[in-house]
Amino acid sequence: QVQLEESGGGLVRPGGSLRLSCAASGRTFSGHTMGWFRQAPGKGREFVAIRRSDNSKYYADSVKGRFTISRDSAKNTLFLQMNSLQFEDTAVYYCAFTPTRLIQSRVWSEENYDYWGQGTQVTVSS
């Protein structure tokens, strides 16, 4: 079984930056999809960014140009660098993983991911 643990959330001013981390442990898979979703108060879980095992990356339109997803293979850790943060970015951010290299049309849906972290709170406030 795969376990995910997020860290790096916190309080930041508009225009500021945060770097989220997701440490993975347990069984590894040659083919996989791993990334980030977020959930704002009173709203559903929203796709943010995903990296596939072939190193292809996909971003939600709302974060393109501001967020960057990356991976440190040696440490088995996924990162989300968040720059130019806005009030609308306030949410609980969740790391997600599935042991399949999802086709592009399926990376957007939370229904296609089998493992989730506990979440880390990001609050953007002046």
Side-chain angles (χ1 to χ4, degrees):
Q1 189 175 34
V2 176
Q3 293 184 335
L4 308 174
E5 184 176 356
E6 304 100 329
S7 62
L11 177 65
V12 65
R13 293 180 177 180
S17 299
L18 284 174
R19 189 193 193 200
L20 305 184
S21 299
C22 176
S25 61
R27 183 179 177 182
T28 58
F29 301 87
S30 58
H32 65 268
T33 311
M34 188 173 180
W36 301 89
F37 288 74
R38 67 187 182 185
Q39 188 167 22
K43 300 197 174 185
R45 197 162 296 182
E46 175 189 28
F47 170 84
V48 177
I50 286 293
R51 176 193 178 276
R52 301 195 301 181
S53 50
D54 62 354
N55 203 39
S56 59
K57 301 168 184 177
Y58 302 90
Y59 297 91
D61 289 340
S62 59
V63 307
K64 285 182 179 178
R66 300 189 298 119
F67 291 11
T68 303
I69 191 169
S70 62
R71 184 192 182 194
D72 185 335
S73 297
K75 296 182 178 180
N76 205 25
T77 301
L78 189 75
F79 301 100
L80 184 68
Q81 179 66 46
M82 306 185 295
N83 298 326
S84 301
L85 284 162
Q86 305 166 5
F87 295 122
E88 294 77 17
D89 296 315
T90 295
V92 177
Y93 284 70
Y94 297 92
C95 183
F97 174 90
T98 193
T100 303
R101 185 190 296 171
L102 296 172
I103 61 174
Q104 183 175 349
S105 62
R106 296 182 179 178
V107 303
W108 315 96
S109 176
E110 63 176 321
E111 304 295 331
N112 294 320
Y113 296 86
D114 300 316
Y115 300 93
W116 295 85
Q118 294 296 108
T120 184
Q121 177 71 51
V122 172
T123 302
V124 184
S125 176
S126 60

